[in-house]
Amino acid sequence: MSGGPGDAEDEKGGLRTALAGLTTRGRSFLAAGIAAVICAYVLGQSDLLRVGLLLAALPLVCASVLYRTRYRVAGSRRLSPGRVPAGSEARVHLRMDNVSRLPTGLLMLQDRVPYVLGPRPRFVLDRVEAGGRREVSYRVRSDLRGRYPLGPLQLRLTDPFGMCELTRSFSTYDTLTVIPRVEPLPPVRLTGEAKGYGEGRQRSLALAGEDDIIPRGYRYGDDLRRVHWRLTARYGELMVRREEQPQRSRCTVLLDTRGIAYQGAGPDSAFEWAVSGTASSLVHMLERGFSVRLLTDDGSSVPGEGSDGFAGASQQSADAAGLMMDTLAVIDHSDGTGLSRAYDVLRSGNEGLLIAFLGDLDEEQATVLAKMRQRSGGAVAFLLDSDAWVREPTDVPGPLGRSEDRLRMLREAGWTAVTVPRGADLAGLWQLADRQRTDAASTGSTAGGGVR
């Protein structure tokens, strides 16, 4: 194939790149060789001419070979794991393959990482034989959740004589997802959860007896063992039995992300505690077999599959948890001022268990939360007082009148509500909420009524 103007320009650009990569030693050899050639021409010394040509040719040959070699070295990166909780370490594995027929010189690797993950890693590799490979690894760690790009990988090649040094940047990069910290929670019985899998398992029985008086038509994927042949012959189409179907308990975890509801920033702030508590609750309820969704104050629902926003029956719990963890990894304060959009999402009256992590509340938002309780089978609220979180531990405690008033409003509406002091342990608060529910139920039974 004949070369066009573009090929000529590429060759000129490659020549300039190769010559620009000459080291001080290579430039010195080239200058000495040119000087020797000039002196040999003036003095008529053929031996000096050969020495000068050798001195000048050596760095040029090294630059040419190195320039071609750098396109015959492949690099790859692998994260283990690709999703890591805040404060934990992930390991990044780098692999270099020499796919050429010639060995390489000295290789220097440098991977570009964000400052929050630690210092920029650098490695020096000895010559790699033809067809050989080298593997190195380094660790990254972040106390801040988020999504961080890793790369591109930079490779600096040097010839064995140290005449030339070229840098190659690979175009690919990977993303490390730092999710919130997940705290294991003790198994407790919370109001409104006994509607499906787990300790409170129920089933939706078939609407027919032994002969399935009310069957349904065959759907793609139905087990052929459920085909009712007698009714199939009667109706002229495949009919299947409506056997009992398991129902999954529902759980909605509400995260209040309003910027006006929290004060302070950083990994020890009230908002980060609420995000971590939300992640822990989601994972805990998924492990217990619940159909879980994440709901925010702006009405966003995750995973959002189907009309109700819960994970579908065909979606694995691990996939749903991963999607919600990825959302929590990058979630930030919203510009909203209320919880009305989240209330609109809770349309039906059979929402199962509602777990809420809330910031500062005014009377209007407490009223909205009271209405939410009417649309759920049970409700648990963790109320964070951001003023208590930004005060120093040695300061005199501030007034608790407003916080206590909001707690009273929620409890009167049927919520199991607890306050979250600074640096509190979620597992302990989880058990405290269960004890409050039990005490409220006992009080209601004594009074002749139950907790709704």
Side-chain angles (χ1 to χ4, degrees):
M1 181 177 180
S2 60
D7 297 327
E9 293 179 1
D10 293 342
E11 292 179 2
K12 294 179 180 179
L15 180 61
R16 287 193 296 267
T17 302
L19 294 178
L22 290 176
T23 61
T24 302
R25 180 185 299 178
R27 295 176 187 273
S28 300
F29 268 68
L30 181 60
I34 294 176
V37 170
I38 294 176
C39 292
Y41 177 77
V42 173
L43 301 177
Q45 297 291 329
S46 59
D47 293 337
L48 183 60
L49 177 62
R50 287 191 289 269
V51 173
L53 292 176
L54 177 61
L55 292 176
L58 182 60
L60 296 178
V61 171
C62 291
S64 176
V65 172
L66 191 62
Y67 180 77
R68 295 179 179 275
T69 302
R70 73 171 186 164
Y71 291 106
R72 306 296 292 174
V73 178
S76 61
R77 181 191 301 103
R78 179 173 57 87
L79 301 180
S80 178
R83 184 187 293 116
V84 61
S88 301
E89 291 183 344
R91 183 168 291 274
V92 183
H93 302 268
L94 303 178
R95 172 177 165 179
M96 304 303 301
D97 293 274
N98 182 16
V99 296
S100 67
R101 298 181 180 178
L102 298 175
T104 66
L106 193 66
L107 300 180
M108 287 171 281
L109 297 180
Q110 177 177 278
D111 206 6
R112 184 174 299 176
V113 300
Y115 175 77
V116 70
L117 295 182
R120 182 170 296 182
R122 295 181 176 90
F123 303 94
V124 178
L125 304 180
D126 203 354
R127 66 186 295 273
V128 182
E129 64 279 2
R133 70 178 60 168
R134 296 290 185 273
E135 294 185 4
V136 293
S137 64
Y138 64 94
R139 294 177 295 180
V140 292
R141 180 181 181 273
S142 175
D143 292 329
L144 300 175
R145 56 184 176 82
R147 293 173 62 87
Y148 301 101
L150 300 179
L153 178 65
Q154 292 183 337
L155 174 64
R156 182 176 297 177
L157 300 92
T158 304
D159 66 281
F161 301 100
M163 298 291 179
C164 186
E165 189 176 270
L166 296 178
T167 301
R168 176 186 178 186
S169 295
F170 296 88
S171 58
T172 59
Y173 67 93
D174 295 278
T175 302
L176 175 66
T177 302
V178 181
I179 63 176
R181 293 183 178 91
V182 176
E183 183 178 348
L185 301 179
V188 298
R189 293 293 302 272
L190 297 174
T191 304
E193 71 174 56
K195 292 183 179 179
Y197 292 114
E199 293 85 351
R201 183 178 303 174
Q202 291 184 352
R203 287 186 178 271
S204 174
L205 297 179
L207 299 180
E210 182 180 357
D211 293 331
D212 284 323
I213 302 175
I214 308 178
R216 63 170 177 84
Y218 175 82
R219 298 172 186 171
Y220 179 78
D222 286 339
D223 191 347
L224 292 178
R225 291 175 295 182
R226 294 175 53 195
V227 174
H228 196 295
W229 297 109
R230 186 170 58 182
L231 292 178
T232 297
R234 179 187 302 177
Y235 291 104
E237 60 177 335
L238 285 176
M239 305 294 292
V240 296
R241 299 180 179 88
R242 295 188 59 182
E243 299 175 350
E244 60 180 19
Q245 301 294 328
Q247 290 183 342
R248 299 190 69 182
S249 296
R250 290 182 171 184
C251 176
T252 299
V253 182
L254 172 63
L255 174 61
D256 182 9
T257 64
R258 295 172 299 138
I260 62 175
Y262 299 93
Q263 300 180 29
D268 296 328
S269 63
F271 180 68
E272 291 301 322
W273 192 97
V275 174
S276 177
T278 301
S280 302
S281 301
L282 289 170
V283 173
H284 177 73
M285 303 309 289
L286 280 172
E287 289 176 349
R288 297 186 62 184
F290 281 70
S291 180
V292 181
R293 70 174 171 185
L294 168 65
L295 181 64
T296 59
D297 57 284
D298 59 2
S300 301
S301 179
V302 181
E305 180 177 320
S307 59
D308 54 4
F310 290 89
S314 61
Q315 187 173 2
Q316 298 296 327
S317 296
D319 296 336
L323 182 59
M324 289 184 284
M325 291 300 106
D326 290 343
T327 302
L328 291 176
V330 297
I331 201 168
D332 202 353
H333 292 294
S334 67
D335 298 329
T337 58
L339 303 172
S340 57
R341 293 185 178 179
Y343 171 73
D344 294 337
V345 176
L346 303 174
R347 291 184 295 269
S348 66
N350 186 23
E351 295 295 337
L353 179 62
L354 176 61
I355 303 175
F357 291 85
L358 307 168
D360 293 334
L361 299 174
D362 54 21
E363 185 176 356
E364 180 182 356
Q365 305 314 317
T367 304
V368 174
L369 287 169
K371 295 179 181 179
M372 289 185 185
R373 174 61 183 90
Q374 301 173 2
R375 297 191 173 187
S376 61
V380 181
F382 297 93
L383 185 60
L384 291 89
D385 185 1
S386 61
D387 290 336
W389 282 74
V390 297
R391 286 195 303 266
E392 293 295 332
T394 56
D395 291 348
V396 178
L400 298 177
R402 181 178 177 179
S403 177
E404 292 295 335
D405 184 57
R406 302 297 176 256
L407 273 177
R408 179 184 55 80
M409 293 181 61
L410 294 179
R411 289 169 178 170
E412 289 179 353
W415 283 80
T416 300
V418 296
T419 55
V420 181
R422 182 176 180 178
D425 178 37
L426 179 59
L429 295 177
W430 194 261
Q431 292 176 326
L432 176 61
D434 179 56
R435 289 196 297 268
Q436 286 190 10
R437 179 201 64 83
T438 304
D439 295 342
S442 300
T443 304
S445 299
T446 304
V451 178
R452 287 187 173 273

